[in-house]
Amino acid sequence: TDLLGRLVAVDPFNRSALERLSELFEKNAQWRELEQTLDRRAGLTESEQERRDLWTRRGMVLEERLGELKTAAKCYQDILQLNPDDRLALHALKRIYTALASWSDVLQVLDKLVQLDADPVLRSVALREAAEVYECHLGQPERAINLLRRAHGMVPGDRGAVEALERLAESTGEWSGYVDILIHDIDRSKTSEQQFERLEYCADVIIKRLEDPLRAYQLLHEKFALAPTEGQLFRALLEICLENG
C-alpha cells in the first residue's frame, strides 16, 4: 500500500495504481481511503458508465461503512445527472431519504419511479409507499387515499392497497369510497367462490359502516345475476341484509 501510495503521489493520474489501491483499501477495510480513491478515479475516467459505477461504489461505502448519508446522497444525485432513469440510484436515494426522514425528497423519488416503471405491479408498490408517507409521516390521509385508489386501479384486487384503504376508512370514517373499491373488485373476481366472498364482505361493510341495508340488498340482487346457480348462498346473504334492515 505504501509503495502504491508513493507511486500515486508521483503520478496522480496513474489509473492502474489507483485501481490497485482501491482493491487493497477494500480488503483491509480502510473505508475512508477507499472512498477518497474511488472519488479520484471517477474524476479521471472519460467513460460515463465507469464514472457511474465508481460513484455507486463510493455511495455504498459512504452509506454503509461510514454512515455519511448526505454525502452518499450527493453521489447518487450526481449519477442521476448522467442518467435520470438510473433505478439503482433512485432506490438508493429513497432508502437514504427515508433514513433522514426527508419525506418531500422520498415522495419525489417515488413519483419518478412511478413514471419510469412500465410494470403496473411495481408502479402500484411505489404508489402505496407514497401513500404510507402521506398517511404516517405527513398527516395527509386524503392524499394517501387518492394514491391508493390509483394503485388499486393499476392492479385491481391488490390486497395491499385494499387493506391500506380499509385502515384509512377506519381512521377517517370515509367508507363510501372504500365500498366503491370493493364493488369494483367483485366484478373482477376470478372464481365464483371469490366473487361471493367479496360480495359477502362488501354487503357487511355497507350494513355496518354505511348503515344502509337497502343498498346492500340492492347490491346482492344485482350481483346475484352473475352466478344464478348459487341460490343458497344468495339467500344466506340476503338474510343478513334483512336481519339488519
Side-chain angles (χ1 to χ4, degrees):
T1 304
D2 291 341
L3 178 60
L4 286 170
R6 288 196 296 271
L7 177 59
V8 170
V10 174
D11 181 7
F13 301 104
N14 191 319
R15 295 173 59 186
S16 297
L18 288 169
E19 183 175 355
R20 179 57 181 155
L21 273 175
S22 297
E23 296 171 356
L24 291 173
F25 288 146
E26 185 166 14
K27 180 180 179 180
N28 296 327
Q30 294 175 265
W31 305 119
R32 176 60 66 194
E33 291 81 357
L34 174 59
E35 173 266 316
Q36 293 172 344
T37 303
L38 292 171
D39 190 36
R40 291 180 66 180
R41 290 175 60 194
L44 291 176
T45 183
E46 296 180 359
S47 166
E48 284 194 1
Q49 182 60 57
E50 184 179 9
R51 187 176 299 116
R52 285 163 55 190
D53 292 343
L54 290 166
W55 277 341
T56 298
R57 286 183 62 193
R58 181 174 179 245
M60 293 175 64
V61 171
L62 286 163
E63 178 189 1
E64 299 173 8
R65 302 298 184 176
L66 298 175
E68 297 180 7
L69 299 185
K70 291 183 178 180
T71 309
K74 179 63 170 57
C75 283
Y76 295 116
Q77 290 164 356
D78 289 341
I79 292 172
L80 293 179
Q81 290 295 317
L82 294 178
N83 179 17
D85 297 343
D86 190 302
R87 285 173 172 77
L88 181 62
L90 286 166
H91 282 286
L93 283 173
K94 182 186 72 171
R95 184 176 60 248
I96 291 171
Y97 290 146
T98 298
L100 293 171
S102 182
W103 304 118
S104 61
D105 290 322
V106 172
L107 290 172
Q108 287 182 10
V109 172
L110 288 170
D111 183 62
K112 180 66 175 178
L113 288 170
V114 171
Q115 295 176 42
L116 279 180
D117 284 319
D119 185 339
V121 174
L122 294 178
R123 296 177 70 192
S124 177
V125 169
L127 286 169
R128 283 196 277 116
E129 290 179 350
E132 183 178 356
V133 171
Y134 278 114
E135 177 191 1
C136 300
H137 302 292
L138 299 180
Q140 299 182 42
E142 297 81 7
R143 296 289 295 274
I145 289 171
N146 289 335
L147 289 172
L148 289 168
R149 286 176 177 169
R150 284 181 60 194
H152 181 270
M154 291 175 183
V155 186
D158 182 341
R159 294 312 305 167
V162 173
E163 289 169 4
L165 282 165
E166 181 181 18
R167 183 179 64 251
L168 283 162
E170 187 76 51
S171 64
T172 64
E174 296 294 333
W175 289 99
S176 182
Y178 177 60
V179 166
D180 291 340
I181 293 291
L182 295 179
I183 292 173
H184 182 269
D185 281 351
I186 291 170
D187 295 332
R188 295 180 176 272
S189 301
K190 295 181 178 179
T191 65
S192 60
E193 180 181 4
Q194 183 184 64
Q195 182 183 76
F196 276 97
E197 285 178 357
R198 292 177 174 179
L199 182 55
E200 181 180 16
Y201 176 67
C202 185
D204 187 62
V205 171
I206 292 172
I207 293 169
K208 294 180 179 178
R209 300 299 186 175
L210 298 183
E211 299 180 350
D212 191 351
L214 177 59
R215 183 181 178 186
Y217 168 80
Q218 292 170 337
L219 175 68
L220 292 173
H221 194 274
E222 174 191 349
K223 300 302 180 184
F224 175 63
L226 296 174
T229 60
E230 300 289 346
Q232 183 177 355
L233 180 53
F234 171 70
R235 286 192 295 272
L237 294 177
L238 184 58
E239 286 175 6
I240 295 173
C241 297
L242 295 175
E243 288 172 3
N244 288 273

